[in-house]
Amino acid sequence: MWLTSSSIGRKVVMSVTGAALVLFLTFHMAMNLVYVYDVMVGTCCGNHYYDAVCEFLGTNWYALIATAGLAALVCIHIIYAFWLTAQNYKARGNDRYAVSGKQPVHWAAKNMLVLGIIIVLGMLVHLHDFWYNMMFAELAESEREFAPTAGFDWITAKFSCPGLVCCYVVWLAALWYHLTHGIWSSMQTLGLNGKVWLNRWICISYVWATIIVLGFLAVIVAALFAKGGCCGACCA
């Protein structure tokens, strides 16, 4: 099958799975902005809109199917990333980033594997902090510090740790660099570029990546203010 036997086919798989993951990140970021809204308007304990979102998703069949599909996309993307990188090293050696013409090679393009590894490590931390304590805990019916659907409390508690906040900031920085190259590169692989659209896609990549990362950073910043805010006062 050409999707596995040819270099172009593997790049297509990387591009399609990457594009799907970007869409998920956009949705996930938008969903988490509900937490920011909760902090801004000072919703009281037990009435957080973000908790309602978590309860709506929870362990419903559509959430479980989406989670399984997302896990498959991530695994395929990672496997093909290592596959293509190994192929690149074998084919070009030290000259793997040599290019013809005047098109520059961006720093992110040279370090996509390293950035990807940082993102995977951050993702494992994120899964432990939230998925393990929320969806998995609900499935296993196991007790945790907060209820599985208490997303507001989980975010507020987790980001009260300065060390963890620093880890997430590094993770988001790596994600930004990864996306700024990955989005337009995927469009180029899928043939959705051209002499005019290539530069447009590069611009879109930077804007899109910045919006996603700033959205997640807004959640971290909001969490720093949530401790001792309206919720803290009414729960004291």
Side-chain angles (χ1 to χ4, degrees):
M1 188 176 180
W2 73 278
L3 290 176
T4 56
S5 61
S6 71
S7 176
I8 296 178
R10 293 169 198 149
K11 289 180 180 180
V12 168
V13 173
M14 275 285 291
S15 299
V16 172
T17 55
L21 291 173
V22 169
L23 292 177
F24 166 75
L25 282 172
T26 305
F27 164 77
H28 192 38
M29 178 273 297
M31 182 186 73
N32 282 1
L33 288 180
V34 178
Y35 172 87
V36 179
Y37 177 79
D38 276 336
V39 175
M40 290 178 62
V41 301
T43 54
C44 293
C45 295
N47 295 308
H48 301 304
Y49 294 112
Y50 187 72
D51 289 353
V53 173
C54 294
E55 186 175 359
F56 173 74
L57 294 175
T59 54
N60 292 299
W61 64 269
Y62 43 82
L64 294 175
I65 292 175
T67 300
L70 178 63
L73 287 173
V74 171
C75 290
I76 293 172
H77 195 73
I78 292 173
I79 291 171
Y80 273 75
F82 278 102
W83 195 352
L84 285 169
T85 301
Q87 172 188 300
N88 208 16
Y89 269 95
K90 184 178 180 180
R92 298 188 181 183
N94 293 329
D95 297 326
R96 61 190 179 279
Y97 297 116
V99 294
S100 58
K102 297 182 179 180
Q103 184 178 354
V105 180
H106 298 161
W107 179 87
K110 297 180 180 181
N111 297 278
M112 286 297 276
L113 183 62
V114 175
L115 292 171
I117 291 174
I118 295 174
I119 292 170
V120 169
L121 293 176
M123 182 181 66
L124 293 176
V125 173
H126 185 66
L127 287 173
H128 175 268
D129 287 341
F130 297 101
W131 179 82
Y132 175 74
N133 287 311
M134 297 175 73
M135 180 179 281
F136 179 80
E138 189 173 352
L139 285 170
E141 297 183 350
S142 57
E143 293 186 2
R144 295 288 193 275
E145 183 180 358
F146 304 111
T149 56
F152 187 97
D153 292 332
W154 281 114
I155 290 179
T156 304
K158 290 298 180 181
F159 289 129
S160 64
C161 173
L164 188 64
V165 169
C166 291
C167 288
Y168 270 85
V169 170
V170 172
W171 180 35
L172 290 173
L175 180 64
W176 185 84
Y177 278 108
H178 196 79
L179 292 178
T180 55
H181 173 74
I183 294 175
W184 72 261
S185 180
S186 296
M187 297 303 103
Q188 186 179 44
T189 298
L190 296 174
L192 299 178
N193 63 315
K195 292 182 179 179
V196 176
W197 267 97
L198 178 58
N199 289 331
R200 290 178 180 177
W201 276 119
I202 292 175
C203 180
I204 290 172
S205 299
Y206 277 86
V207 172
W208 201 337
T210 301
I211 291 174
I212 289 176
V213 170
L214 286 180
F216 284 122
L217 284 174
V219 175
I220 296 176
V221 173
L224 298 178
F225 289 97
K227 206 77 173 179
C230 172
C231 183
C234 68
C235 290

